[in-house]
Amino acid sequence: MSKESIKKTIIDLRASIAREREQKKKDNARIAASIKSATSPSTKAGYRKDKIDVAARHDRAIEGYKRRIETLQRELKNMK
C-alpha cells in the first residue's frame, strides 16, 4: 500500500469508530426504553442481558478498528 492509501484508510477507520460509537448510543437508548416499558421481571432481565451483549459487540468492533489503525500506523512508520 502507498502512504496516501494508508493515510486514507486510517481516516476511514476513524470515521468507522465514530459511527460505531454513535450506533452504540442509539442501541443503548433503544434497549433502555424497552427495559422501562417491559412489564414482567423476566422480560426486563432479558433486555438487560441484550443491552450488555450489544454494548460488548460494539466495543469489540471499536477495538478491532483501533487495532487495525495501530497496524497501519506501524506500516506507515516502517515505510519512512
Side-chain angles (χ1 to χ4, degrees):
M1 293 178 92
S2 70
K3 287 182 183 181
E4 292 306 314
S5 66
I6 290 175
K7 288 178 182 179
K8 182 186 179 307
T9 304
I10 289 172
I11 291 168
D12 292 343
L13 288 169
R14 286 183 179 148
S16 295
I17 289 173
R19 282 192 300 273
E20 193 71 34
R21 285 183 177 147
E22 199 58 39
Q23 189 61 44
K24 180 181 175 182
K25 287 179 190 175
K26 288 179 183 178
D27 287 347
N28 194 28
R30 178 182 50 80
I31 296 172
S34 296
I35 292 170
K36 278 187 175 182
S37 67
T39 54
S40 75
S42 63
T43 304
K44 284 187 179 198
Y47 283 134
R48 285 189 184 106
K49 183 184 177 306
D50 289 345
K51 185 176 177 182
I52 292 167
D53 292 342
V54 169
R57 190 176 318 124
H58 287 296
D59 290 340
R60 282 191 303 273
I62 290 169
E63 287 305 313
Y65 290 134
K66 287 180 180 178
R67 281 192 303 275
R68 180 72 177 130
I69 288 172
E70 289 171 2
T71 301
L72 289 171
Q73 286 174 334
R74 279 195 302 273
E75 279 184 37
L76 194 60
K77 186 178 178 181
N78 291 337
M79 292 177 101
K80 293 183 180 179

